[in-house]
Each structure stands twice: as structure tokens, then as C-alpha cells.
Amino acid sequence: MGLYLRPTDLAEALAALAESPMTVLAGGTDFYPARVGRALDDDILDITALASLSGIADAGDHFRIGATTRWSDIIAAELPNWFDGLKLAAREVGGVQIQNAGTIAGNLCNASPAADGVPPLLALDAAVELASRGGKRVLPLASFITGNHRTARAPQELLTAVLVPKPRCKARAGFAKLGARKYLVISIVVAAAVLEVAEGRIAAARIAVGACSPVAQRLRDLEGTLRGRRCAPGLGRTVEAVHLAGLAPIDDIRGTAVYRSDAARTLIARLLDDLAGAAA
Amino acid sequence: MRLALTVNGRVRMAETAPARRLADVLREELGLTGTKIGCNAGDCGACTVLLDGAQICACLVSAAQADGRSVVTVEGLAETGALGALQSAFLRHGAAQCGICTPGMLMAASDLLAREPHPGEKAVLDALSGVLCRCTGYRKIVAAVLDVADADGAPAPAVGTAVGARVPKIDGAAKLTGSERFAADAAPADALFLRAVRSPYARARFTLGSFAALHARYPGLARVLTAADIPGSNRFGIYPTGKDQPALAEGEVRFRGEAVLALVGDAATVEAIADEALPVAWEELPPVTGIAAALAPGAPALHAEKPDNLLVTGRLVRGDVEAAIAGAAAVVQGAYRTTFVEHAYIEPEAGYARRIGDRIEIFACTQTPYMDRDELALILGIRPDQVRILPSAVGGGFGGKLDLSLQPLIAVAAWLLRRPVRCVYTRPESMASTTKRHPASIRARIAADAEGRLLAVDFHADFNTGAYASWGPTVASRVPVHASGPYIVPNVRAIARAIYTNETPAGAFRGFGVPQTAVATETLLDELAEKLGIDALELRLNNALRPGLATATGQVLGASVGLVPCLKALKPRWRSARAEAARLNRGDGVVRHGVGFAAMWYGIGNTSISNPSTMRIGLDREGALTLYSGAVDIGQGANTILMQICADALGAPLAGLRLVAGDTDRTADAGKSSASRQTFISGAAVTRAAADLRRQILALAGLGEPAEIRFGGNPVTVRQGGDLRWVDLAALPASNETGDVLAGSGTFDPPTTPLDEDGQGAPYASYAFAAQLAEVAVDLGLGTVKVRRVTAAHDVGRAINPTQVEGQIHGGVAQGLGMALMEEYVPARTENLHDYLIPTIGDVPEIECLLVEAADPLGPYGAKGIGEPALVPTAPAILNAIYHATGVRLRQLPATPDRVRTALLAAGKGECHG
Ligand SMILES: Cc1cc2nc3c(=O)[nH]c(=O)nc-3n(C[C@H](O)[C@H](O)[C@H](O)COP(=O)(O)OP(=O)(O)OC[C@H]3O[C@@H](n4cnc5c(N)ncnc54)[C@H](O)[C@@H]3O)c2cc1C
Ligand code: FES
Ligand code: FES
């Protein structure tokens, strides 16, 4: 049996992490499934009693989502409509039990290629705040997740918050997930989009796809193509195969690589059509 | 740590490791075993409890996180003793079958109802979406949650009207309060734990080193079992000639997940010892994967006595297939592939064994206590009467708990150590080591004349039986009989082979190869109908078996042939659904609608093999009646059905009847709970036992039938016309074992004949018939298929309990839907319930059941079977519906989104990206 710390004070938690490497435990929804039939012998730092890590706050030019904010907190929170993509994602993470336990930081730190939280946060241009005894740093989410289940987090760091900048124009956001059953399904493809719209035209587009490469990716070419276009029905037709060329999907039990690319294109096209049809 | 939490309103303390799962704390420390563990990974939701009022998986919460908080478990829902409104609704609707998912369902529903007292269906689906159920098909659960407010259920049926009534499950209350004892819910306090060590390789040789160092390092390790420790025969298997599976491998493993060692000791020790730390030297060998590899020239032989890897061939030949095909107006043909399918019962295997003198007692989940008893006697090298099997409540079986799993290991350990030994499989262990549905590779041709009369069926199926025989021979014998479907076909050639590979043993799974067979033949019939320009339902109607006609085995059917009424019952929906699909497809939308249809027949009981059941009914001094039933209720409802039959056959009130079930010391052999046989065979045995008991009472009264016997106390009164007599039970001598003063006994063995070398004979005494209609919507862009509605017409002979019949149909349809669209077991890849997908509450559509009752004169009150028939037509009906929607035929299951989309693109039908 390993150590088990459950501090209420962040400094205490960071001090413990600085002393020796420990496994961080939040909602446990990735932690426990990885230990089925195995002894629970990790040294554990349980961060769920750190009050300063939970909750969503409007911090002026950005929103701050505490690390241990649960998916059900995100669903229940009153947030501007450009968070709709993240909210839709929250509703699709597991079932209600998982949403009541799983945290946003856990989803990012676990860094599954199919994590549903990542594409909407990439589309929101989110950054993560990492804290250690030595201080804080902020990294764009895109550079935080470095590979399949790999992140830029140093062993003595905690992810303390997700920072979401406010869009400059009116924005709308969407999310789409493809799985082989209705609920409780690991995504075959997952996509999210945020469109900032000014005077009927797209001022900025951010589109991200997950489960089609080791790390979810923004589709910068497509975003460039969309910029300046009228935000009107038919927008989905803009999406072409070349826009997805940077993805590197794999063949696995959930689908072939070819299918993934094809389905990603369809999901994004539909997402754009939906957003173009929606009121800003 | 010292943990304090409020459980169901009371503060409870426990000493526990802080990282321990809350589910384990509740079950092991606080004795609250109503919370179930199906996976320990958040996937099944069986462990759902309320934590500070919100539903969570207790397997994902640490003890430390629960400290100081409030937990509500299923035990907290009926603390006053009476069922709460939600529980009553579950009972009334038949929403609990095996009951293993029920605590989780109840807690998820409680969470919803506390926030939203009158939810709509969508809210119910969302709230319950994290709990999997493998038995019910979810529809009755949804109905129960939507109907909580409704008044109490129907009153108990009057004497003589139990059969046909929607009687709530007699063991239902225990399943709703968490008091039911499933296999992992009970064990002696001093039991040691056993953990099997399993092969990571599909094929390998291994040698074992010394365990001395291990024992020195782990004082808590009581014993390491190896093949050398098996006292009797280290070979088991279903058939006397098919005993080829070792309880512990002997120097060679034949599939990934095969047990090579068992560690026995205290729980912490056996968990802490890592497999890598064991003195096992592996030599990995190239495995034989798939049927083609097993049959390839020079393929390594799995078993020396079967050098060509061919376990067995089943064969049926009637008429001249080639000549008939040559002269036919239309011929269709196709090749089909299906995969391993996992039973995915929510309860992993568990149990304990204890030695009492020179006897061994085994409490475990099983579908077949008497076969277990005889096999374990062989393994221990003792007599069968030295073995006592105490079946636990079974948290789903579907055929997967017909084979031995952990019983040999715990039995040998308890026998040698003279200490109780328990074992609980993990979900990955259960999935890797227990049987699966046989993957099939099928080629078939069907021919008809210009009028659509079937002329010939030519059918060849190879079944991947995995590393050991298990039920492979059953599949090979059952499939040829069923290959030509429920139709008159003058010329049939049907071959079914079971082939060994280095894969998970394939065994019994709801239908024994017939669902795979129907995928091929029922989709081909659709093609034939199209080719001939005949309506698909009319084609079946024109060729349907009817009373007095001969099957392909030459058996002339009796009265109970309900296919035509099933087909006629579906006709109105068939028409309206197709019209609706045409209307919905009028635009050029990306979602296309389709309607498909398939029929089936299914022989009840074993194929041409004696499979008797014996039932006993006792009457004690006080006049209390007890049914002693060796038939295991695996959730299908045998306990309730047999009690209903018993009540009416005696003429006694159902409410006063007691039940003793399963215990091999106290009941007679009722055979297996498989092959849809318990209602038909054990039910008929109950009617005979009742007749026997009545005879004895009438003899004591000096009267004969017909007479009215009034049970309910002592004395028993007997009335015939104006003649009223009393039988004083207190004056009769009581049996030492049961305390009963009278006991009626009845045996029924369905009359069958052996099949000759051409497969001719009368393999079954009774057949069930059915047809189902599936309505689907296919997304052309993504290849996803949504089943929107299923209409199922089933000839069950007599619906002893319509609620339970519907429950079986719903559950069968859900499993058929899973097989059609998502289920694919791949060893090492899908050994858990997030990579292996079964339908969730959102995947099973509305299911309308149309019950046809073509009474079988042999069956109890005319009843036949429903367990397996419910699943057989679903997958082909869905495939036919996909074709109707898109014009694309899928011949490989499951029809996952990528396969459907690929097929659409190949057919030039999916060029849209929107
Ligand atoms: C049944 C089921 C269904 C699921 N379905 C989905 C789904 O549909 N989509 C999806 O994306 N995910 C899904 N998940 C995965 C999981 O629920 C999410 O990833 C969740 O957000 C993880 O959060 P957690 O708090 O439970 O993480 P934990 O399990 O507590 O931790 C996850 C990992 O992150 C680390 N970690 C956590 N917090 C921090 C922190 N603040 N700083 C540093 N490291 C940290 C932990 O050490 C661990 O390695 C599912 C899981 C289950 C069991
Ligand atoms: S046991 Fe907790 S979800 Fe399966
Ligand atoms: S009743 Fe739901 S799993 Fe058996």
C-alpha cells in the first residue's frame, strides 16, 4: 500500500509533489479503470479536497475553469453560448456517474487521443495553468498534450486551471461525436468548432478533430479557408479532403483509418452547416 | 484510515486503505452486497450509488473521497421493509430479470426522480445511460421509471389462474432490495482467496520453476496450485468424448487467458503478487488464428487426437440439391462471416468452495448444477454424491455459465487445503477465459421455382470452436437441422463443422449457431424474393412449415406450428412500415429508412439426446407445499414459471407455495438451463409431479380424479360432487430430509429419435417459431444504423407469464441488435466493457411483442420455449432493413459504421459529405 495524501491547501499539495513523484488522483474515472485486478499501490495525491481548484469564474478577458471542475458542473454552469461545444462534450463523457466524478483536468492530463474534452477546448483556444512549488506557468493546450497519453506536465506540477479566452466577436460553438453506440462510447471521431462572426461573415474559425491522430488537432487550412466567408447555409461544402491531410488516423477495432478521415470530413461539414444555420 | 460515512442514514465506521474503492468498502467492510461489481472500471454502472445525492460509480471513488459524506445504496431504498414506489414499479413491469444490474438502475433512477419527479423518456434514458443491462433490453426498465406513480400491481391470481397471468417474479423482491445472493455476495468469513494466473499468449509452452522463494517472500500465500495438484482427471468438457480442457494447463497453453497456476492465500497477498514475478518460463509459439489457418495444410494440430483440427462435422442430406439447383428458376448465393460474441453478463464468475469431511460444497454461479457436480467429481477423483452444488443467484448466463469456469480451481484448492476458498473473476479475466459465440464462416445457396416455391438449400458452415471442444458438437448437430429454416424444402444439403483454433473456446450462446445460420439464410431469402419479384413476407408464407408437414430431417410436425400465424400477425406492420419508410425517403436526405424482416424456428431441448427433468413437490404436516426444482433461474424466470405451473397443476394458491431451487442435495436433476428447455421440459415434469401428488392425496381420501383438492393447511380437504373428505397430514410420517409427509415426483424427457448419417430423424419434440420486423434508419454519410422499432411475433405455445415472455423477447432482440451492429470480441483487444460494446439503454428501440399461442400437446399448458428464439431473427431482420434502406448487403457482422460506410462507397451510394 502506498501513501495517500488528500490536502486541503494547494501549497501543501505542491510541497508534497516537490518532495517525491506521486500519482495525482481527481475523479478517478481514468485512474481506477487502469488498475482493474491490480493492487492499488501507487503513492497518491488526491486533489479533490483542494477547494481552490474547483469552479468556473469569469476573470475579465477569460474564463477560468478550475482543474477539478466536473463535467456535471460544466453542464450546470451558466456560460455564454460559445461554451456550447464544451457543454455538449460534457454531456457525452460517459454516463451521468462519470460526469459527476470526472474532471476537466483529468481528461486533459490523461491525454487520450479520443478525449472528448480536448477538441472543444482547442477550438476555444484554451490554455492550461500549471503550478509547482517553484511557481506557475501557462501553456497553450495544443502544446500541453504532446502525444498519446503524454503531456508536458512535469512530475512536480499540478494542472490547476483551464483558461478560456473570450472571443473578440460574437461566437457560436458546436461539437459532434461519432461512436458505435448511443451512450458510453469511446469516440471513433470527435470534432468541435467555434465560429466568430461579424456582420454575417466569419471573422475567425477554430476547428479541431480528435481520435484521428495521437493528439487532437486544429485544422488550420480549413480555418483559413473559412475566414471571411459568409456564415450561411452551405458552409459545410467548404470542407475538402485536403483540409484533413494533416491527420494521421489509425486502423483499430473502432474503425479503419480511411473511414476515420472520411467520417471526420462529414462530421465537420455537418457541424459547420449546423453552426451556419444557428442564430448567433 | 478510519473511515466514517453516513450510509443509508446511519453513520458507519470502517478501517480501510484510503485508496480502496468505495464499492469494496461497502461490500466487504460494511456487508452491503446490494451494490454490485461488474467491471471495476466505470463501464457497467452496476455499482452505482448516490454520493451526497448524486449518482456515481462506487468502483471509481476512493474510500478517502467518501469520508464524511452521505452514501445511499440499494439497501437504503426499502429500509422500512416494504418496497418503495420505484421498486414496486420495477417488480410490476418485470424490469429486473437476473437482477444484477437492478441496484444500479434503481440508484440511477432515484437520482433522476429526486431532481425530476415526472421525467419524460429522454430524461430517463440520459439518467440511466451509465448502467448496462444484458437481460431486459431496457424497455421494461424505462417503462417502470416512467410509471412510478402508478398504483399497486394486480392482485394475486385466483386458484387455477396462475398460468397466463402477469405474476410478478417470485424472487423479484430480493433482487430489488439488494438482498439476493449472487455468486460474489457470500463466502465464509475465513475463506482464502484464489487468483488464477493466465497465459498472455495464444499458444505457448511453459515450464514452472520452484515456488519456494515466493512462499518465503509472501507468508500470506497458502498454496500455489499447478496441474500436478489436480487429484482426479485434469480434463473436463461437455461431452463424454469431448473432455479436452484442463483445469490448469499442462506445459502447453492453447489460448490467451488459459489458466496455468492458481495462487491461494489472503486477498492482499494474491493480489499483490505480480504475474511477472512468478517462476514461469514461456516459449511463445505461432498461434493458429481463424478457421482458414486451422484448416491450412501443415497447420499445427491443437490436439494430437484431431490432427486436422476438425473437432466434428454435422451433416444433413435430403433429396438431390445439385439437380434441384440446376433446374431452378432462381438461385441466390452468398458468403457470410460472423465474429466471436461475448455473453457480457454483468456478473463475472464468482463463488466459493468448502470441504466438509469427505464432501465438497460449491457455491457459484452456474446454469447446470448437475453437470457441474459430475464433472467436479471427476476432477477431484471422488463420487458425484460427495459433491454438493449450491447455485448462487445468477447474474446473467445466456449459455456462458454452462461450462465450468472457476469451480475446478476453488474445489481443488478447498479440497487440498481443507479451508474454504473463494474467487471472483475480474471482468477482463472473465472475458478472456470463458466461452464465446462461435464465429462462423458460411457459404449458402438457395433455389426456387418461378412461383417462389423453395427447391433447395445448400449450406456449408465452418464454426471456430476455439481451443477446446466445449459445446462445439452441439453447434455442429443443431445447425444442419435448422439450416433450411422453418420452410418446406425438398432438397437440402447442410454441413456444419467445428474447428479448433488457438482462440477463446467457443461454447453455448443463446441459439447454438442458429443465429449465425439465420443471418445467411434469411438474408438470402430476401434476395430470392427480390429476384423473383415476390414480397419477402409472402415468400415465407408460401413456403412456411405447417402442421402435418415434414421438416428437412423427415420429421412430420404435429399441431404446434405457429409460423403462419406469426407471419400473418406481422403483415399489417410490414405494410405500414414500408409505406412509412417510402414516405420518409421521399426527399434525398442523407438518412435513409428501411424495413427488414426475418423468420426462424428453433428446436426446444437437446438435439436427439435424452434430456430429462425431474421435479418434486412436497407437502408437509402443516399443509405447506414446496416445489423442489433443480432448474436454475438465470434471470429468465424459471422459478416463477415453474411455480405458476405448479400452482395450477395442483389446484393450489400460488401465494402459499414455497420453492427450493438448485441445491443438488435437495432437488432432483432438472438438466441445464439452456436450449430454451426449462419451461417446456421442467414445466412438463412439474405437471407430472403435481399429478403424482394429487394421486397420492386422492388415494388417501379414497377418491379419484376429477376432484377438488383444497390446499392451505391441515387437513387437506377433498371434494368430489357432494362427497367431502379430509386427509389429516399430521397423522402421516414425515421424511427426515425434507419434513414432508407426501411428495409427488414427475419426470419428463422429450421424445426424440437419433439422427441417421444423413441427419434424418426426429431431433426435437417441439419447435418454437417466430418472425421479426426491424425498422432502421441508415446515415449514408457516416454509415451509422439506428434501429427505430422492432415488431416481434413469437409462437410460444402458451405464454405462462406474458410479462416474462416479453422480457425474454426484449432481451433477445437487444442481443440480436448488438450482434448485428456492434459486438466483436477480439482476444487481447476487447477484454473489457468499453472496447467490447453491447447495446446501451439508448440503442434498444421500442419493441412490440405479438404473442402467438399454438399450443404444444406435450408442453405444460401448451407452452414451448422462448429464450433463444427471441434472438435468432433479429440480426437478419436488421441486415435486410439496411438493404431495404440503402440497397447494400452486409455479409460480415457486425455491421459497424465503418463497414456500412465502406459498403455504401463501394456501391457508389455514399458520395455525400454532409
Ligand atoms: C465508463 C467511462 C466512460 C468514459 N467516457 C469518456 C468519454 O466519453 N469521453 C472522454 O473523453 N472520456 C471518457 N472517460 C474518461 C474519463 O472519464 C475522463 O477522461 C475524465 O475527465 C477524467 O477525469 P478524472 O478526474 O476522473 O481523472 P482521474 O482518473 O482522476 O485522472 C486521470 C489522469 O490525470 C491525472 N490528473 C488528474 N488531474 C490532474 C491534475 N489536476 N494535475 C495533474 N494531473 C492530473 C491523473 O494522475 C491521471 O493520470 C470515460 C471513463 C469511464 C470510466
Ligand atoms: S463495477 Fe463500477 S461500473 Fe462496473
Ligand atoms: S436484469 Fe439487467 S443485467 Fe440481468
Side-chain angles (χ1 to χ4, degrees):
Chain A
M1 191 172 83
L3 279 176
Y4 193 105
L5 300 183
R6 191 163 188 256
T8 50
D9 176 49
L10 181 60
E12 199 186 323
L14 296 178
L17 268 190
E19 290 300 317
S20 64
M22 298 183 85
T23 304
V24 177
L25 174 66
T29 62
D30 282 315
F31 173 87
Y32 282 104
R35 287 161 180 79
V36 174
R38 278 177 36 197
L40 294 165
D41 52 8
D42 308 59
D43 288 333
I44 291 170
L45 176 68
D46 179 338
I47 59 169
T48 55
L50 298 172
S52 64
L53 258 51
S54 87
I56 304 175
D58 185 337
D61 63 344
H62 68 279
F63 275 81
R64 180 186 171 86
I65 306 178
T68 57
T69 304
R70 297 167 200 274
W71 294 113
S72 45
D73 300 330
I74 292 173
I75 295 168
E78 292 226 15
L79 292 168
N81 69 333
W82 39 272
F83 272 110
D84 286 356
L86 186 64
K87 284 198 164 208
L88 286 170
R91 287 180 186 281
E92 300 250 4
V93 175
V96 180
Q97 300 94 322
I98 302 302
Q99 292 155 18
N100 283 340
T103 64
I104 189 165
N107 194 247
L108 302 183
C109 292
N110 186 58
S112 159
D116 288 325
V118 176
L121 287 170
L122 284 175
L124 286 169
D125 231 352
V128 299
E129 178 189 87
L130 296 161
S132 66
R133 195 163 58 181
K136 279 185 189 168
R137 60 177 179 140
V138 172
L139 276 183
L141 178 58
S143 34
F144 174 68
I145 303 177
T146 55
N148 184 349
H149 291 102
R150 289 212 325 267
T151 69
R153 182 178 81 90
Q156 68 278 11
E157 281 179 321
L158 270 187
L159 198 167
T160 42
V162 179
L163 312 176
V164 181
K166 294 185 179 172
R168 279 177 297 271
C169 318
K170 276 195 169 173
R172 43 186 102 166
F175 170 86
K177 165 171 175 167
L178 171 65
R181 68 180 178 187
K182 175 73 171 68
Y183 292 110
L184 291 179
V185 68
I186 302 175
S187 299
I188 304 172
V189 178
V190 44
V194 174
L195 298 183
E196 294 187 22
V197 183
E199 289 158 18
R201 292 194 181 272
I202 296 173
R206 289 183 298 277
I207 294 155
V209 183
C212 285
S213 43
V215 183
Q217 283 186 30
R218 288 268 297 271
L219 302 183
R220 305 272 179 188
D221 287 354
L222 176 60
E223 293 174 0
T225 309
L226 288 169
R227 206 170 303 128
R229 295 216 180 212
R230 291 210 67 79
C231 188
L235 198 60
R237 281 196 295 273
T238 330
V239 189
E240 288 173 41
V242 300
H243 295 133
L244 289 92
L247 300 176
I250 55 163
D251 286 336
D252 72 4
I253 188 83
R254 290 189 270 277
T256 61
V258 172
Y259 173 71
R260 280 196 158 88
S261 299
D262 176 62
R265 186 172 163 196
T266 303
L267 276 193
I268 296 162
R270 290 183 186 178
L271 199 50
L272 291 176
D273 280 334
D274 284 353
L275 289 179
Chain B
M1 68 177 279
R2 184 109 182 115
L3 172 74
L5 64 173
T6 306
V7 185
N8 302 329
R10 283 174 48 215
V11 177
R12 304 285 299 264
M13 308 284 191
E15 193 54 48
T16 181
R20 190 113 187 261
R21 292 174 160 91
L22 174 62
D24 288 330
V25 174
L26 291 170
R27 291 176 52 85
E28 305 291 333
E29 305 303 327
L30 303 179
L32 295 169
T33 52
T35 299
K36 306 302 176 192
I37 294 179
C39 69
N40 261 336
D43 296 321
C44 74
C47 64
T48 301
V49 299
L50 303 185
L51 184 62
D52 287 343
Q55 57 164 314
I56 51 98
C57 291
C59 72
L60 302 180
V61 175
S62 73
Q65 290 179 348
D67 191 28
R69 298 172 73 182
S70 153
V71 178
V72 182
T73 69
V74 68
E75 288 93 345
L77 294 183
E79 284 216 291
T80 55
L83 295 184
L86 176 63
Q87 291 161 310
S88 299
F90 266 58
L91 190 60
R92 202 164 59 238
H93 282 273
Q97 286 189 22
C98 80
I100 194 86
C101 71
T102 309
M105 290 290 182
L106 290 169
M107 299 322 293
S110 308
D111 178 39
L112 169 69
L113 294 170
R115 287 180 283 110
E116 220 178 314
H118 303 289
E121 176 159 341
K122 173 75 170 65
V124 173
L125 298 184
D126 283 347
L128 272 56
S129 65
V131 192
L132 297 177
C133 175
R134 191 57 155 168
C135 299
T136 63
Y138 302 100
R139 300 309 304 174
K140 288 187 181 288
I141 295 172
V142 176
V145 179
L146 289 172
D147 182 37
V148 170
D150 235 45
D152 292 335
V159 171
T161 63
V163 166
R166 292 182 178 268
V167 174
K169 269 175 114 71
I170 61 151
D171 42 7
K175 295 179 193 291
L176 293 161
T177 57
S179 61
E180 183 82 295
R181 288 277 177 264
F182 291 92
D185 295 342
D190 60 339
L192 294 171
F193 278 75
L194 180 145
R195 179 169 83 78
V197 176
R198 299 181 178 279
S199 170
Y201 306 113
R203 179 166 171 249
R205 278 191 280 270
F206 66 93
T207 49
L208 300 176
S210 158
F211 298 108
L214 202 65
H215 280 289
R217 181 159 167 221
Y218 295 101
L221 182 66
R223 178 125 186 187
V224 182
L225 292 181
T226 72
D229 296 310
I230 311 280
S233 163
N234 188 21
R235 287 285 178 282
F236 68 90
I238 302 307
Y239 286 83
T241 53
K243 295 204 186 299
D244 59 3
Q245 185 163 3
L248 287 168
E250 296 170 359
E252 181 187 358
V253 289
R254 297 186 179 86
F255 74 98
R256 178 188 148 84
E258 184 161 6
V260 295
L261 292 176
L263 306 174
V264 191
D266 63 60
T269 300
V270 299
E271 194 173 69
I273 299 175
D275 286 6
E276 302 76 50
L278 295 166
V280 186
W282 293 101
E283 182 198 342
E284 195 183 348
L285 299 169
V288 176
T289 309
I291 293 165
L295 296 177
L302 270 278
H303 301 272
E305 44 317 342
K306 304 278 183 188
D308 48 5
N309 289 325
L310 183 59
L311 166 63
V312 59
T313 302
R315 177 173 182 277
L316 184 154
V317 177
R318 185 177 182 80
D320 184 341
V321 165
E322 293 299 343
I325 288 177
V331 183
V332 289
Q333 58 183 325
Y336 301 82
R337 268 171 53 203
T338 72
T339 57
F340 281 115
V341 181
E342 156 68 20
H343 301 87
Y345 28 73
I346 303 303
E347 176 198 45
E349 291 72 6
Y352 71 84
R354 77 175 149 199
R355 181 170 181 170
I356 299 170
D358 67 348
R359 297 192 77 208
I360 187 101
E361 224 175 72
I362 286 129
F363 173 88
C365 47
T366 179
Q367 297 180 237
T368 173
Y370 282 85
M371 261 169 51
D372 289 359
R373 182 195 63 180
D374 296 351
E375 291 238 71
L376 290 168
L378 291 174
I379 291 167
L380 292 177
I382 58 180
R383 294 186 317 276
D385 66 349
Q386 289 175 270
V387 181
R388 179 180 190 182
I389 304 291
L390 292 158
S392 67
V394 181
F398 318 115
K401 290 173 180 168
L402 286 165
D403 295 71
L404 292 175
S405 56
L406 45 67
Q407 297 95 327
L409 302 179
I410 54 175
V412 170
W415 187 255
L416 297 177
L417 288 162
R418 294 176 183 270
R419 287 267 311 264
V421 175
R422 75 181 289 204
C423 174
V424 181
Y425 277 5
T426 65
R427 172 59 57 179
E429 178 176 31
S430 169
M431 292 183 75
S433 67
T434 65
T435 60
K436 303 284 166 282
R437 182 184 294 290
H438 285 74
S441 172
I442 299 174
R443 279 180 284 112
R445 291 189 290 171
I446 303 183
D449 67 15
E451 283 75 51
R453 267 186 301 268
L454 294 179
L455 296 176
V457 169
D458 186 17
F459 177 93
H460 181 107
D462 284 338
F463 290 94
N464 180 345
T465 209
Y468 296 104
S470 181
W471 295 84
T474 310
V475 169
S477 64
R478 184 175 276 274
V479 163
V481 177
H482 290 81
S484 49
Y487 310 109
I488 316 148
V489 188
N491 303 286
V492 179
R493 177 168 62 195
I495 309 290
R497 304 192 293 178
I499 290 148
Y500 284 123
T501 63
N502 285 116
E503 293 175 86
T504 323
F509 191 165
R510 224 173 183 175
F512 290 108
V514 178
Q516 297 94 308
T517 303
V519 161
T521 54
E522 286 295 316
T523 56
L524 275 178
L525 280 179
D526 241 38
E527 293 188 43
L528 188 65
E530 188 180 12
K531 205 162 183 173
L532 290 164
I534 301 176
D535 176 84
L537 193 147
E538 296 297 333
L539 179 90
R540 266 87 165 189
L541 208 44
N542 294 340
N543 290 284
L545 282 169
R546 291 173 161 82
L549 295 177
T551 70
T553 73
Q555 179 179 4
V556 176
L557 296 175
S560 177
V561 184
L563 181 59
V564 169
C566 284
L567 294 172
K568 288 187 172 156
L570 282 182
K571 249 190 192 177
R573 185 71 208 165
W574 174 241
R575 296 225 172 89
S576 62
R578 287 175 86 90
E580 191 184 319
R583 189 171 48 74
L584 291 167
N585 287 338
R586 219 166 278 153
D588 55 356
V590 67
V591 174
R592 310 299 292 177
H593 293 260
V595 187
F597 166 86
M600 74 103 232
W601 64 328
Y602 197 81
I604 305 301
N606 291 2
T607 312
S608 288
I609 301 176
S610 160
N611 62 138
S613 170
T614 299
M615 289 280 147
R616 293 197 201 113
I617 305 167
L619 182 62
D620 74 7
R621 280 225 160 100
E622 280 77 51
L625 288 158
T626 306
L627 172 65
Y628 298 90
S629 161
V632 182
D633 192 319
I634 56 173
Q636 89 281 36
N639 286 345
T640 307
I641 296 285
L642 296 177
M643 292 283 269
Q644 287 178 263
I645 293 171
C646 184
D648 280 12
L650 287 168
L654 178 61
L657 277 184
R658 293 190 302 217
L659 175 71
V660 169
D663 180 346
T664 55
D665 274 11
R666 299 177 71 197
T667 66
D669 188 352
K672 314 169 290 315
S673 290
S674 77
S676 306
R677 60 182 288 287
Q678 291 297 20
T679 298
F680 177 61
I681 301 178
S682 289
V686 169
T687 60
R688 284 159 170 73
D692 183 32
L693 183 61
R694 286 181 63 96
R695 235 181 340 262
Q696 296 175 40
I697 294 168
L698 293 176
L700 288 169
L703 293 172
E705 297 279 13
E708 187 197 329
I709 305 181
R710 211 168 247 232
F711 296 97
N714 185 40
V716 167
T717 59
V718 183
R719 183 193 298 274
Q720 198 178 50
D723 200 349
L724 181 65
R725 301 190 186 176
W726 286 269
V727 175
D728 180 10
L729 301 171
L732 301 173
S735 135
N736 285 339
E737 280 138 47
T738 59
D740 293 328
V741 293
L742 291 174
S745 175
T747 298
F748 178 65
D749 191 3
T752 62
T753 68
L755 296 173
D756 69 15
E757 61 182 23
D758 283 336
Q760 299 297 298
Y764 308 100
S766 181
Y767 295 86
F769 296 84
Q772 292 181 0
L773 196 147
E775 295 163 51
V776 307
V778 183
D779 182 326
L780 298 180
L782 295 172
T784 48
V785 177
K786 168 115 192 89
V787 181
R788 298 175 63 233
R789 183 187 163 101
V790 170
T791 312
H794 283 262
D795 166 22
V796 297
R798 175 82 192 270
I800 304 284
N801 186 323
T803 302
Q804 291 198 171
V805 171
E806 290 158 6
Q808 288 300 298
I809 294 172
H810 290 184
V813 165
Q815 290 185 356
L817 185 155
M819 176 178 164
L821 299 180
M822 63 185 81
E823 299 192 33
E824 180 162 18
Y825 177 79
V826 182
R829 184 59 195 82
T830 60
E831 289 168 359
N832 57 58
L833 293 175
H834 48 268
D835 290 313
Y836 186 84
L837 301 181
I838 64 172
T840 68
I841 199 166
D843 297 299
V844 183
E846 182 188 337
I847 300 166
E848 186 188 357
C849 301
L850 306 171
L851 301 187
V852 168
E853 298 185 319
D856 192 311
L858 284 173
Y861 300 92
K864 305 191 278 194
I866 182 64
E868 292 156 296
L871 174 147
V872 176
T874 311
I878 290 172
L879 292 179
N880 286 335
I882 294 173
Y883 173 77
H884 182 229
T886 65
V888 166
R889 287 260 169 225
L890 276 298
R891 297 177 202 271
Q892 184 180 359
L893 291 190
T896 49
D898 66 331
R899 289 201 181 120
V900 174
R901 171 77 179 154
T902 305
L904 286 167
L905 286 176
K909 309 211 176 202
E911 269 314 331
C912 58
H913 280 100

